[in-house]
């Protein structure tokens, strides 16, 4: 029962109202490159995918997860419930009842700091973190430590093994935010790698790279395009189109 689960979550987290709208945030980066943040939304315990948002981290050099989370949260919540538009000109959705960040005390403190700075006392925040038991594992093996929840003004984390429905909901939100962030991160990395590959094609400069990506919509679309299709892009003549085609399809 979603309503019962939300009521149990409200009691567990000490909320003064039912968390009908929950937003989950995650950061994805490899060594600080192509760092992105994700925002997923669950309403009454179910995903509200039309309200999902992605963020490219703009101001943080290197791999500082706390600073990245701060930037993403500040940008989202600075816009407020009616706020300015975000990705693709879409307006940001209403403020959530509950904010969930992936991480422990540090990430929770970042969230609380942003909410305090913006005067958003009506938004509650918690963090969900995977417990580490210190065991050295082989590469590729899964850490099956138990998830724990960090709450404001509470020193020790809360374990939800006796509240499986609540734990499952929070894990769903955390995992969805992680999946959404990873997908965006991979997309940006693929596009960046593809731009680098296009650098090796004589006659394809910065403007033409942008025109190609804009026309075909993705790096894969360019690689799959025929010589005739490539020539539909302004500024791409038969010779350049043939070079691009041969560059990405050397076996032809």
């Amino acid at each position: 029962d979603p309503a019962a689960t939300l009521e149990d979550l409200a009691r567990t987290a000490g909320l003064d109202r039912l968390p009908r709208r929950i937003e989950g945030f995650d950061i994805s980066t490899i060594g600080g490159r192509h760092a992105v943040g994700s925002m997923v939304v669950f309403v009454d315990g179910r995903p509200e995918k039309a309200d999902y948002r992605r963020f490219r981290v703009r101001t943080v050099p290197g791999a500082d997860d706390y600073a990245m989370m701060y930037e993403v949260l500040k940008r989202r919540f600075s816009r407020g419930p009616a706020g300015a538009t975000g990705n693709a000109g879409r307006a940001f959705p209403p403020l959530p009842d509950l904010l969930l960040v992936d991480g422990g005390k540090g990430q929770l403190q970042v969230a609380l700091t942003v909410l305090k700075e913006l005067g958003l006392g009506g938004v509650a925040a918690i963090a969900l973190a995977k417990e580490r038991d210190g065991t050295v594992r082989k590469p590729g093996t899964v850490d099956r430590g138990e998830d724990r929840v960090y709450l404001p003004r509470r020193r020790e984390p809360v374990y939800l093994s006796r509240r499986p429905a609540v734990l499952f909901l929070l894990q769903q939100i955390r995992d969805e935010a992680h999946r959404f962030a990873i997908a965006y991160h991979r997309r940006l990395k693929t596009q960046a790698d593809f731009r680098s590959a296009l650098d090796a094609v004589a006659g394809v400069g910065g403007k033409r790279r942008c025109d190609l990506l804009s026309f075909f919509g993705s790096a894969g679309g360019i690689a799959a395009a025929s010589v005739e299709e490539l020539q539909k892009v302004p500024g791409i003549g038969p010779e350049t189109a043939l070079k691009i085609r041969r560059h990405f399809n050397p076996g032809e």
Side-chain angles (χ1 to χ4, degrees):
D1 180 0
T5 299
L6 293 178
E7 289 173 0
D8 200 5
L9 173 57
R11 286 192 295 271
T12 301
L15 308 180
D16 56 10
R17 67 173 183 267
L18 208 63
R20 295 192 58 199
R21 185 181 189 89
I22 305 173
E23 290 183 2
F25 291 82
D26 190 26
I27 299 294
S28 177
T29 178
I30 300 175
R33 294 186 67 239
H34 313 299
V36 302
S38 66
M39 165 185 149
V40 301
V41 181
F42 277 56
V43 176
D44 292 333
R46 296 180 176 86
E48 188 73 17
K49 294 192 175 183
D51 285 350
Y52 285 16
R53 296 293 185 271
R54 296 183 175 104
F55 303 82
R56 290 190 69 167
V57 175
R58 300 170 180 166
T59 64
V60 182
D64 186 337
D65 285 350
Y66 294 150
M68 292 176 188
M69 182 65 79
Y70 178 88
E71 178 189 325
V72 168
L73 293 178
K74 196 69 177 283
R75 284 166 56 191
R76 185 278 179 260
F77 288 105
S78 292
R79 292 179 168 104
T85 56
N87 307 41
R90 295 182 298 172
F92 266 71
L95 292 175
D97 302 304
L98 179 64
L99 159 62
L100 173 68
V101 291
D102 179 27
K105 291 181 180 179
Q107 294 287 18
L108 176 58
Q109 189 55 51
V110 169
L112 294 173
T113 297
V114 170
L115 295 174
K116 182 177 180 180
E117 289 178 353
L118 297 176
L120 299 176
V123 179
I126 63 174
L128 182 67
K130 180 78 71 178
E131 183 178 44
R132 308 294 177 183
D133 60 15
T135 302
V136 177
R137 295 176 173 80
K138 295 180 180 179
T141 58
V142 177
D143 180 355
R144 301 191 182 279
E146 184 179 355
D147 278 313
R148 62 202 190 280
V149 178
Y150 283 96
L151 304 174
R153 299 178 298 279
R154 182 162 180 155
R155 187 171 183 176
E156 297 300 323
V158 175
Y159 293 86
L160 297 177
S161 54
R162 295 184 179 180
R163 294 180 170 84
V166 173
L167 178 59
F168 180 69
L169 174 60
L170 295 181
Q171 288 173 331
Q172 268 191 301
I173 298 170
R174 187 267 314 279
D175 293 347
E176 179 71 346
H178 184 66
R179 179 200 66 78
F180 199 53
I182 288 290
Y184 187 40
H185 180 268
R186 287 175 176 166
R187 179 177 134 197
L188 293 181
K189 183 180 183 302
T190 297
Q191 290 180 347
D193 291 347
F194 200 81
R195 288 190 183 97
S196 297
L198 281 173
D199 287 341
V201 182
V204 180
K207 183 180 186 305
R208 286 182 177 176
R209 288 198 302 271
C210 291
D211 289 343
L212 283 162
L213 283 169
S214 176
F215 187 89
F216 290 102
S218 70
I222 301 173
S226 67
V227 172
E228 291 74 19
E229 290 169 333
L230 289 166
Q231 290 181 71
K232 294 178 181 179
V233 179
I236 302 295
E239 185 178 346
T240 302
L242 185 59
K243 288 179 180 178
I244 295 171
R245 179 66 188 176
R246 286 178 173 172
H247 181 77
F248 292 105
N249 300 274
E252 292 186 356

